[in-house]
Amino acid sequence: MCGIALLVSGIRIGFSSLNLDSISSSSKSHLVFSVDDLKAALQRRGPDSLGTMKLLLPPHFNSSNSTNHRVSSFNEESHVLDNVSDMPESFAEFVFLGATLQLRGVSPVCQPLMDSSGNVLVYNGEIFGGIEVGIDKNDTESLMQSLGNCCSCRSQEHRTTCDFNGQAKGSIVDVLSVIKGPWAIIYWQESSKTLWFGRDAFGRRSLLVHWPTTEDPRFLLSSVSPTSSSLQDSGFEVENGTSGIKFWEELSCGIYSMSVDVKKSDGRFHSEIKKHEWTNAMLKELIEWERDSIEPKPAELNFSHSRTSSAELDINSYSSVLAQNVLTALRESMLRRISLYNIYQAQKETVPVAVLFSGGLDSMIIAALLDQCLDPNYEIDLLNVSFDGESAPDRISAKTGVKELRRVAPLRRWRLVHINADLSKLTWEKKRVLSLINPANTYMDLNIGIALWLAARGEGWMYEESNNETDEDKRVNYTSRARVLLVGSGADEQCAGYGRHKTKYMHDSWLGLHKEMKLDMQRIWKRNLGRDDRCVADSGKEARFPFLDEDIIRMLLDIPLWEIADLDQPSGKGDKKILREAAHMLGLHNAAILPKRAIQFGSRIARESNRKNFGSNRAANQASAGSVVINVQSYFS
């Protein structure tokens, strides 16, 4: 995992079936991204390796001829054509880029991969189920083998039309539909002359797309928006289209194909991009995000209230059984995300896994479960960001939280990493993050992005515990070297943790609450996860989301909504009720009653941003500052 990219030139691409909004730019000026720009963007993410492969479709190409010459391959030292005008007539070019952060397997793997059949793969993801990955194997190698066994049929009804006569093991869509875990993929299938690409159903890995336009007819995919070479010499460094030119957009979740052929009428390459339906029935249910038990009967609701009114939980009660089931599933989700971590023997970190840590409910549950799942010899870094020194709400709750963790897990060495920042002094950092969050472009996106980016870097200080009880702990500079960062994303969306959930419930009762939560889950890829993945990965880290495990989503949907949350109760009690019960079971009694605070407010970056850009918090609130689009030039003036 780290990042992938693709640049396609020399093909006239149609995508009318995707029902996209108008994508023709009306601006006379436009961005130009080269292969070197894409490589630089991936390289700065700190991969262990970065590879490039170029495939040329020659003039004599014929996709219907099974004996057609194999696509030519070139190493990264080869000359790469960046513009269609440079391409010889009737040639088409695919440039694949793969940056690998080696986390699993017994030996290093450099992407792109090409197998003996001429298939090419770049993959940014983890496989936690669905496809077998041997204890000594790498995810990408295992996936390459599975994809290589697929039929070359592009039809949704491949079982009846497959030209492999049942000898192949399903279709590309079948294989990708069963993967459990986060992923983004670009795959060339040589037998069908088809490019496949996409991202998982919840968008846990970023993948940006540039659809061909009149100004730039190339087709581009990238895990992150690079800095455009065309803007490097401008008087003001504007990165990746935040100048108002819309170049990139988040690729919507799903599986896409682009079959390539030559039309006899003009002798040029043509292709049509299609989006495919998932073939995994369970995955379809999770995407639809429907639950059977939404509105309780009065007797059920009264019984639920009576069972949870006592501060002491009855472990035999129905509510507690549900919370215990969720806790068990979360523990298994955690194990999947850390179990194969230290197999790659070249990595010798003393702290393999870190937690994005506010001391709030979600991060406390993650930290406590991590303690139960991780080898006790490892230390655990708790990364906490503050823009108000030791006075920020998240810093206060983090210090309280680590004391509680030391009480429930005294044998573990917990490292609370204090990451302090002054927003007024973060000039190049803000430009960097503005590049990373693109195409997101609001103050809220930037504030969250900066906080996540600083946390992922892990540069701060900590107290070094003294072995002598009479000596005070020593404050020392410290940088976390953990390459996996556990993040609590998805808990609020699934368990009614946002203030807007309570507002919706008060106005439209249980059905209104369910619809609001469903909306949040179905847009989390666009509003949150792509942005967050890009900000974390920029420091050579991988974000993993235990609450967004497929089995967790399934389990929470199977639980009656009134057991998930009780929004008639005050904040810190009824919101995310089921997780608060789980926290009590872990012994986290202080964390179980903490109200929800978003990172931009808990770290106080939103307050500092509001003062700088709007004059005061009050003025910012009146202007709905969080949703205001950033004016780049004035922001840095």
Side-chain angles (χ1 to χ4, degrees):
M1 169 279 158
C2 193
I4 59 178
L6 170 74
L7 190 153
V8 178
S9 304
I11 301 177
R12 294 180 179 177
I13 300 174
F15 36 84
S16 58
S17 63
L18 300 182
N19 297 318
L20 298 173
D21 295 332
S22 175
I23 57 175
S24 297
S25 172
S26 60
S27 174
K28 294 182 180 179
S29 61
H30 62 280
L31 304 178
V32 177
F33 292 99
S34 68
V35 171
D36 285 341
D37 293 334
L38 294 170
K39 288 174 66 175
L42 296 179
Q43 185 66 62
R44 76 183 192 186
R45 293 157 75 94
D48 296 310
S49 63
L50 174 62
T52 309
M53 181 176 293
K54 181 172 70 174
L55 306 181
L56 285 179
L57 303 186
H60 51 73
F61 170 87
N62 183 350
S63 65
S64 62
N65 186 351
S66 60
T67 61
N68 185 53
H69 293 293
R70 183 170 298 168
V71 177
S72 303
S73 63
F74 299 81
N75 61 30
E76 63 178 305
E77 284 74 33
S78 301
H79 173 64
V80 177
L81 305 176
D82 287 329
N83 298 301
V84 176
S85 59
D86 297 330
M87 183 72 63
E89 186 174 0
S90 299
F91 267 83
E93 180 185 73
F94 295 75
V95 182
F96 299 83
L97 297 94
T100 304
L101 186 69
Q102 192 73 41
L103 295 177
R104 298 167 75 171
V106 296
S107 58
V109 173
C110 183
Q111 299 191 58
L113 297 183
M114 173 180 276
D115 65 16
S116 59
S117 299
N119 304 311
V120 179
L121 172 66
V122 285
Y123 180 69
N124 177 13
E126 304 286 353
I127 299 175
F128 298 133
I131 295 176
E132 183 178 354
V133 179
I135 192 67
D136 59 342
K137 297 297 183 181
N138 175 274
D139 299 62
T140 306
E141 292 175 315
S142 299
L143 179 59
M144 184 67 158
Q145 183 175 356
S146 295
L147 293 173
N149 292 330
C150 290
C151 70
S152 58
C153 179
R154 296 184 295 268
S155 171
Q156 288 290 119
E157 293 77 30
H158 75 95
R159 291 173 181 82
T160 58
T161 63
C162 178
D163 53 7
F164 272 51
N165 296 319
Q167 298 178 21
K169 297 180 180 178
S171 69
I172 300 292
V173 178
D174 288 335
V175 171
L176 297 180
S177 292
V178 299
I179 295 176
K180 289 186 176 181
W183 55 267
I185 190 173
I186 303 170
Y187 179 69
W188 171 260
Q189 187 182 42
E190 168 67 9
S191 59
S192 64
K193 303 299 184 291
T194 300
L195 180 76
W196 295 86
F197 59 96
R199 60 196 292 210
D200 73 78
F202 303 100
R204 292 162 292 187
R205 287 289 171 264
S206 167
L207 193 59
L208 304 179
V209 60
H210 166 70
W211 304 109
T213 62
T214 304
E215 292 85 355
D216 190 342
R218 300 173 303 167
F219 174 66
L220 284 81
L221 294 166
S222 180
S223 293
V224 62
S225 170
T227 303
S228 172
S229 299
S230 64
L231 297 175
Q232 291 301 301
D233 298 327
S234 62
F236 178 79
E237 281 191 23
V238 181
E239 299 200 10
N240 62 57
T242 49
S243 59
I245 305 171
K246 181 180 179 181
F247 189 92
W248 299 99
E249 67 179 66
E250 296 270 6
L251 180 70
S252 61
C253 301
I255 303 170
Y256 302 77
S257 68
M258 187 179 87
S259 55
V260 181
D261 206 346
V262 175
K263 283 193 174 181
K264 294 181 180 179
S265 57
D266 59 9
R268 296 186 65 86
F269 288 96
H270 290 257
S271 182
E272 179 74 20
I273 295 179
K274 298 179 180 179
K275 188 174 184 180
H276 300 262
E277 294 290 331
W278 302 99
T279 58
N280 184 330
M282 176 183 170
L283 188 59
K284 287 183 178 180
E285 292 178 1
L286 299 186
I287 296 169
E288 292 169 0
W289 214 82
E290 292 292 350
R291 58 169 18 107
D292 294 330
S293 304
I294 296 175
E295 297 189 72
K297 298 176 181 178
E300 291 175 317
L301 194 57
N302 290 336
F303 182 56
S304 177
H305 284 170
S306 67
R307 286 187 286 106
T308 58
S309 60
S310 172
E312 296 295 329
L313 292 172
D314 177 4
I315 194 65
N316 295 317
S317 71
Y318 177 58
S319 180
S320 295
V321 169
L322 292 176
Q324 184 61 61
N325 290 342
V326 170
L327 202 54
T328 300
L330 277 171
R331 189 178 294 108
E332 293 172 354
S333 170
M334 192 76 67
L335 281 170
R336 281 190 282 273
R337 280 154 180 79
I338 67 169
S339 60
L340 295 181
Y341 180 82
N342 60 350
I343 286 180
Y344 182 56
Q345 298 300 317
Q347 305 299 336
K348 301 294 184 181
E349 292 91 346
T350 57
V351 182
V353 186
V355 179
L356 181 65
F357 191 71
S358 67
L361 177 64
D362 307 336
S363 63
M364 285 289 286
I365 290 176
I366 287 177
L369 289 175
L370 179 58
D371 170 70
Q372 296 179 8
C373 298
L374 188 66
D375 187 308
N377 293 318
Y378 286 120
E379 300 162 355
I380 294 177
D381 285 346
L382 307 173
L383 308 182
N384 180 267
V385 179
S386 171
F387 289 81
D388 193 18
E390 301 304 291
S391 300
D394 277 3
R395 178 61 50 80
I396 295 170
S397 60
K399 290 192 288 188
T400 301
V402 77
K403 290 179 181 178
E404 190 162 41
L405 288 171
R406 286 171 178 154
R407 177 179 57 80
V408 300
L411 299 181
R412 177 74 63 181
R413 186 174 183 189
W414 302 94
R415 293 180 180 269
L416 178 60
V417 185
H418 300 64
I419 302 169
N420 293 345
D422 182 342
L423 186 61
S424 65
K425 297 179 180 179
L426 302 179
T427 301
W428 76 267
E429 293 91 344
K430 286 184 286 191
K431 290 182 180 180
R432 178 78 161 251
V433 174
L434 193 61
S435 169
L436 294 171
I437 66 172
N438 185 60
N441 58 0
T442 69
Y443 283 100
M444 181 182 70
D445 289 310
L446 182 58
N447 291 338
I448 294 173
I450 291 172
L452 282 174
W453 185 80
L454 289 171
R457 290 182 73 194
E459 297 180 2
W461 59 271
M462 56 165 285
Y463 285 114
E464 193 173 65
E465 298 177 29
S466 173
N467 294 326
N468 190 330
E469 294 183 1
T470 62
D471 294 337
E472 292 185 359
D473 293 341
K474 181 181 178 181
R475 174 172 165 167
V476 296
N477 292 331
Y478 179 76
T479 299
S480 174
R481 301 299 179 189
R483 305 182 103 194
V484 169
L485 181 60
L486 298 176
V487 184
S489 301
D492 291 306
E493 287 80 0
Q494 296 181 84
C495 299
Y498 292 121
R500 63 176 175 272
H501 291 149
K502 185 162 189 173
T503 300
K504 196 68 176 179
Y505 171 75
M506 293 302 180
H507 284 90
D508 299 318
S509 192
W510 294 100
L511 185 58
L513 172 62
H514 169 73
K515 290 181 177 179
E516 187 72 12
M517 294 168 67
K518 176 179 179 178
L519 176 64
D520 280 343
M521 280 298 291
Q522 292 184 335
R523 66 185 179 185
I524 193 173
W525 62 273
K526 188 172 185 177
R527 287 170 60 98
N528 303 84
L529 296 180
R531 174 200 66 201
D532 297 353
D533 179 61
R534 293 189 292 275
C535 289
V536 171
D538 194 61
S539 298
K541 308 289 175 69
E542 177 172 289
R544 294 184 181 174
F545 311 103
F547 287 104
L548 289 172
D549 182 272
E550 286 83 353
D551 290 346
I552 296 293
I553 298 172
R554 175 72 276 164
M555 174 169 284
L556 289 173
L557 280 175
D558 287 340
I559 296 174
L561 184 54
W562 61 93
E563 295 288 356
I564 296 288
D566 179 4
L567 299 187
D568 288 319
Q569 300 296 317
S571 177
K573 185 176 181 180
D575 52 316
K576 298 195 285 191
K577 180 183 76 169
I578 196 164
L579 294 184
R580 298 185 186 281
E581 293 175 354
H584 276 296
M585 293 174 178
L586 290 169
L588 307 174
H589 305 300
N590 291 330
I593 60 174
L594 286 177
K596 161 70 181 177
R597 274 195 311 268
I599 190 173
Q600 66 269 34
F601 303 117
S603 67
R604 287 208 166 140
I605 186 175
R607 185 188 70 176
E608 299 307 306
S609 175
N610 289 342
R611 288 175 176 176
K612 176 185 182 298
N613 298 296
F614 296 90
S616 67
N617 271 327
R618 181 177 181 181
N621 290 335
Q622 290 175 343
S624 299
S627 59
V628 173
V629 173
I630 300 168
N631 183 309
V632 178
Q633 302 254 5
S634 63
Y635 184 80
F636 289 101
S637 62

